[in-house]
Each structure stands twice: as C-alpha cells, then as structure tokens.
Amino acid sequence: MCGIIGVVGKNPVNQLLYDGLLVLQHRGQDAAGIVTCDGNTFYMHKNNGLVQDVFQTRHMRSLQGNAGIAHVRYPTAGSSSAAEAQPFYVNSPFGIVLGHNGNLTNSTQLKEEMFRQDLRHINTSSDSEVLLNVLAHEIEHTAHSAVLNSDMIFEAVAGVHKRCLGAYAVVAMVANFGLLAFRDPNGIRPLVIGKSETEKGVEYIVASESVALDVLGFKLVRDVEPGEAIFIDMDGNFFSRQCAEKPKLSPCIFEYVYLARPDSVIDKVSVYQTRLHMGVSLAKKIAKEWGDLHIDVVIPIPDTSRPSALQLANALNLTYREGFIKNRYIGRTFIMPGQALRKKSVRQKLNPIGMEFKGKNVLLVDDSIVRGTTSKQIVQMARDAGANKVYFASAAPPVRFPNVYGIDMPTRDELLATGRTDQQICEEIGADALIYQDLDALIEAVQLSNPDIKMFDCSCFDGNYVTGDIDETYLNNVESARGDKLGHKKPANSSTQLDLNLVTIKEYEEAV
C-alpha cells in the first residue's frame, strides 16, 4: 500500500504535492519522495521517513516546476532502504519518473526479460523499478525515435498491460511532455482524477484517494477506469483511452475495511458510508447468533473502526463509549515493518480509560484482525482496566490468505486466522467471545453505495486471486523469500543506487 499524486498546474506545484502527501501519509510511513518537472529538467528529493521529516524548506525550494509527481511508500516488495524510495527515474527514452501503488505478481519473470531481451538493468529489488523499465521500453518501442505524442503513450500503456500482472496504480512523468497515469485492468488499487479552474487555466490532479483532492481544492471528476490511461500534456490538455483488452472492475475490498481514509470516495463508494453499513450488518449477526451475550458497552479500537462500532451500538440499542485514547504521534501499527516494532508500539499507541471498563462486559470493535498482535494486547489492556467480560467483534471476515497485491499480508504463518477455527482465534487473543463479519455481508456493505461493482478482490478473505496467476507454488516462493529477507537483513548502506537528493537529473546524467 502506497500513496501517489501527480499534478499539472499553472503555478509551481511543490507545495501542492507536499500537502497532498501529508493527506495520504496513512498509506505509507516508510519513505516519501517528490519529483517536479521544469522544461527538460527533473528535480527530485526522496528519503526514508515521514513527509514532514523528509522535506525541509531547502528541499522544497529546489523542487521547481509547474508539474510533478509524489509518492509515500509502505514496502511490500524490495527492502526499506532509502534507495527504494520513490519516484524512480530512468533516462531512456526521453527521461521518465514513476511512482507506483500496488504489487506486480510476475516481477521476477519481467526482471529476466528486462535483462535478456530489453537490455535494461534493474538497480534495486523493487517491482516498481521493473514497472518503470517496462513502461520505458514500451514507449521506446512505440515512439521509434520520433516526436512523442499521446497516441504513442497509450500504445505503450497497452504494451504494459500485456506484460505486467498484478496490481498497479501509476503516476509517471515524461520530461517536458506531460503526466501519465494508469490503472491495472482489474482496477485493484484506487486512482482518481480531479481538476481546478484557475485564472491561468485548468489544473489537473490524479491521486490515490479523493481526500487529497478535497484538501487541495480540486473537484473530483471521476475514477480512472480499470485498464484506462490518462495523459495531461504540459499545456494542460487532457487525453484518455482504454488500453486494456478485457478490463473488469475488481477493487480491493480491504481499501474500504482499513486502508483508505473514511472521508475518501473510491470507485463511487463512500468509505465512511461503507463502514457504517458494516456496523449494521455486524449488529444483525450479533442479534441473530449471539443474543445470549450481555453487553454493557461498545468500545471501538481507534480510529478505523469508529463508524462501524457506532452503528453497531445504535442498531443494538447499546451504550457507545470511547474507551481508548490514542497517541496520534505513533504510526499505524498494521503497516509498521517488523513484528517486534508492532508489539512495542501498541502500548505506546493506546491507553485505556479505566472507568469505561471496570466491572463491565465490554464489546470491543475493530476493523479486522490480521496478525492478532494488536488484538491480543488490547484484550489484555481491557482486562487490566477492570473489564468483567471482553468480547471482540471484527467488522471484516477472518484474514486467512496472503495478499499479493500490495498489502503486507504475504505469508500464512503471519496470519492469525490461517489454520485456526474462530474458537481457536478467540482463545489466542484471550477474548470471551469473538464475532466475525461474514464475507457476503461485507460485499453487500460496499455494494449498497455502488451496485455497479459486481466483483471485488477479496483474496485475503477467500483465497480467490482475481488476476488468475497465483497458485501454491507462487505463495510458497513469496513466503520463502520473505523468510530470507527477515532472517538476513541487508545493511542500510548496501544499496548501489546513486543518491539523487537535491541534484537535478541533468546533473546526475553528467556525473555518470
């Protein structure tokens, strides 16, 4: 899961990109990067860390130009080294920078093709750099050394769709030519288009979530369709084309459960409204199947579960209370790299209000249970605060399968629900009862806002992978590679990529 933004404006865009990344910080806290374009020159700064720490005033001043792209990273493929912060750059042809949200499922095969057929060198272990080089090769093939135009760009994206499998929402920029954005043929990862009317003309933006458009003063136009590419030249002319042969909208349902901000609208679905619906359906299940539970109070585990918990309490006519105070200066534990760091951060992140727990039968509501690390500690915190009984409700079904499309759920060994019954999971987290949302109910909760979505990627819940290329061998290879990575961590200075911070790419080319 990452956050991407691209802007073609009439004024310098460095501040717009920075402010947009702040809004999308929840999608990645590992690294951040911005590239701006001024004529034939790219200006880049990227590094590990939060947006506010990566970019200082001196960095912002160096990011010149009226167009650019930006990225916040949460690593699911590759490493966490600063060299793998995005955007990535390649100088042939024309000069291209790219930011990517998602995960390619055939990146190993593509790397081999890049080396042996396309004669391109991949400098990092990131699948995003693979995607950049595939795009660059396809543009080179379609352009035939001629003057580039939008038709050639769209033909190149069609070539990318034929070669790349998996999930990818992409923003890219071709030097002195324009901004390109496209979405994989299944539309697994989100991407929206916005525009703003200014005195100097129309400005365009593409971003992972509509909330970035709201904050930056852009009006949401629509979503980028699955398989579609949009291109905006440096004069602000807008072009779009369907570039996939058989596109089908199958968005990742976990975006609505946890990943996206509640104030975003993705594929015409309000994330907030979906989470309200999730609470209602969960309340119906509790009333039908768990009517013997005596619940004194419903308490959400902040922040994502609040809408679901509130609607659940209202539907069951139960008292709703805030029982945990969150330290807002601690990041999202689900996307923190490393199990030890997650364990340590839960106690730093949440502190219970004793009076809401003491002597009560408490129903805790969370958006989902993935590894169970957080759930187990929170149940114990509730008991330590004096709760009589601790019941636990998940607004999502049990996560039993790896996610291979850009969410850090890569191995079955790390998932609490894999190979366990609901009762075993309940015992593992120490709860007195455990209630899961049904998958059909979750799908219905999203479809209530947009009935036109007929299919979702629910692979982490049901093991059905919409790209059709995932089998047991693939999952075993992913798990083996992850085990090697966790057991043999590379030193932070092991990367061979040159540091492009605060230098122009023109200077970089001259240096090499």
Side-chain angles (χ1 to χ4, degrees):
M1 182 182 72
C2 299
I4 56 176
I5 307 175
V7 178
V8 176
K10 300 299 180 180
N11 297 292
V13 297
N14 53 353
Q15 191 66 50
L16 281 176
L17 293 169
Y18 175 87
D19 292 343
L21 288 186
L22 286 177
V23 176
L24 296 180
Q25 184 75 84
H26 63 286
R27 298 190 68 88
Q29 301 170 11
D30 186 69
I34 293 176
V35 175
T36 57
C37 183
D38 188 17
N40 287 317
T41 304
F42 285 134
Y43 297 89
M44 176 187 292
H45 181 69
K46 59 180 183 176
N47 210 337
N48 278 0
L50 300 176
V51 174
Q52 64 183 13
D53 299 323
V54 170
F55 298 98
Q56 306 300 320
T57 301
R58 66 183 185 278
H59 305 138
M60 297 300 295
R61 287 173 177 166
S62 73
L63 296 170
Q64 304 172 28
N66 293 354
I69 65 173
H71 186 274
V72 284
R73 181 172 189 260
Y74 145 66
T76 55
S79 71
S80 296
S81 72
E84 297 196 4
Q86 297 183 40
F88 282 115
Y89 163 73
V90 69
N91 65 354
S92 176
F94 308 107
I96 306 170
V97 289
L98 176 144
H100 164 222
N101 175 30
N103 191 57
L104 299 185
T105 55
N106 64 335
S107 60
T108 300
Q109 173 191 337
L110 289 170
K111 284 182 182 179
E112 186 73 13
E113 291 178 4
M114 288 284 101
F115 179 71
R116 298 191 180 279
Q117 299 176 25
D118 302 342
L119 304 180
R120 286 182 171 272
H121 173 67
I122 308 301
N123 198 42
T124 72
S125 59
S126 171
D127 64 324
S128 301
E129 191 187 7
V130 174
L131 180 55
L132 168 61
N133 276 273
V134 172
L135 174 63
H137 177 79
E138 294 300 321
I139 291 177
E140 188 174 35
H141 177 71
T142 60
H144 302 296
S145 301
V147 176
L148 201 59
N149 59 46
S150 60
D151 290 336
M152 295 174 182
I153 290 287
F154 293 140
E155 186 179 343
V157 173
V160 171
H161 289 328
K162 291 176 182 178
R163 296 182 68 179
C164 295
L165 299 176
Y168 48 93
V170 173
V171 290
M173 180 154 285
V174 182
N176 203 31
F177 186 57
L179 174 72
L180 169 67
F182 57 94
R183 199 174 175 193
D184 72 75
N186 293 289
I188 298 173
R189 293 282 153 246
L191 194 61
V192 298
I193 309 166
K195 71 175 183 178
S196 175
E197 302 281 351
T198 71
E199 294 180 356
K200 295 183 179 180
V202 178
E203 296 182 327
Y204 285 96
I205 185 173
V206 291
S208 293
E209 295 184 33
S210 65
V211 64
L213 280 55
D214 299 336
V215 170
L216 299 178
F218 285 77
K219 180 181 179 180
L220 175 64
V221 176
R222 61 178 177 85
D223 299 271
V224 177
E225 297 296 324
E228 182 187 23
I230 65 110
F231 179 75
I232 305 153
D233 66 24
M234 300 302 284
D235 294 323
N237 298 307
F238 182 94
F239 307 88
S240 66
R241 181 182 299 177
Q242 178 54 252
C243 299
E245 294 179 354
K246 296 179 180 179
K248 56 179 180 179
L249 180 60
S250 307
C252 173
I253 204 164
F254 208 73
E255 290 278 355
Y256 303 100
V257 172
Y258 174 82
L259 300 182
R261 273 182 45 154
D263 44 348
S264 284
V265 176
I266 297 174
D267 289 313
K268 302 177 183 178
V269 175
S270 164
V271 176
Y272 179 76
Q273 189 174 41
T274 292
R275 292 175 184 169
L276 293 177
H277 295 326
M278 289 160 60
V280 172
S281 59
L282 193 56
K284 291 179 180 178
K285 181 173 183 177
I286 292 174
K288 181 179 180 181
E289 301 179 19
W290 298 84
D292 59 332
L293 294 183
H294 175 67
I295 302 170
D296 296 315
V297 62
V298 176
I299 294 178
I301 298 172
D303 288 315
T304 320
S305 65
R306 280 196 176 105
S308 297
L310 180 60
Q311 283 298 87
L312 184 155
N314 288 339
L316 295 177
N317 197 28
L318 294 171
T319 300
Y320 172 90
R321 288 287 188 268
E322 293 286 341
F324 293 100
I325 299 301
K326 180 179 178 181
N327 179 357
R328 300 189 181 279
Y329 299 97
I330 297 291
R332 301 176 90 177
T333 54
F334 170 73
I335 65 173
M336 285 183 175
Q339 191 79 339
L341 182 56
R342 292 187 191 97
K343 289 180 179 179
K344 180 181 179 181
S345 65
V346 173
R347 286 283 182 173
Q348 296 173 337
K349 181 179 179 179
L350 295 176
N351 192 50
I353 301 174
M355 61 179 290
E356 298 297 350
F357 293 91
K358 190 172 183 179
K360 298 179 182 178
N361 295 338
V362 178
L363 176 63
L364 301 179
V365 180
D366 206 352
D367 54 80
S368 59
I369 304 172
V370 181
R371 296 171 178 87
T373 307
T374 300
S375 305
K376 185 174 184 177
Q377 292 190 61
I378 288 176
V379 169
Q380 188 58 49
M381 289 167 67
R383 293 201 187 280
D384 293 343
N388 180 32
K389 296 284 187 179
V390 181
Y391 311 126
F392 202 101
S394 168
V399 177
R400 301 190 187 276
F401 301 91
N403 184 287
V404 299
Y405 299 130
I407 306 175
D408 193 18
M409 303 175 188
T411 72
R412 286 159 285 194
D413 288 345
E414 295 179 271
L415 303 176
L416 181 63
T418 302
R420 290 185 174 93
T421 65
D422 289 1
Q423 180 57 37
Q424 289 172 328
I425 298 168
C426 182
E427 293 172 0
E428 181 67 25
I429 66 174
D432 294 294
L434 172 63
I435 305 102
Y436 274 115
Q437 183 87 265
D438 294 325
L439 181 56
D440 289 345
L442 174 59
I443 292 172
E444 182 182 3
V446 184
Q447 289 178 326
L448 284 171
S449 296
N450 184 2
D452 292 334
I453 305 179
K454 305 300 183 183
M455 183 184 299
F456 295 89
D457 172 60
C458 304
S459 54
C460 60
F461 302 124
D462 62 10
N464 295 319
Y465 297 91
V466 296
T467 54
D469 61 325
I470 306 302
D471 56 17
E472 187 71 15
T473 299
Y474 181 92
L475 295 178
N476 287 338
N477 289 337
V478 169
E479 291 173 352
S480 176
R482 181 172 175 86
D484 291 343
K485 188 173 89 170
L486 293 177
H488 303 90
K489 188 175 181 182
K490 294 180 180 180
N493 61 353
S494 65
S495 172
T496 57
Q497 180 168 320
L498 290 179
D499 182 10
L500 298 183
N501 291 345
L502 289 180
V503 298
T504 70
I505 290 176
K506 183 183 293 183
E507 291 169 342
Y508 160 68
E509 292 176 346
E510 293 172 354
V512 298

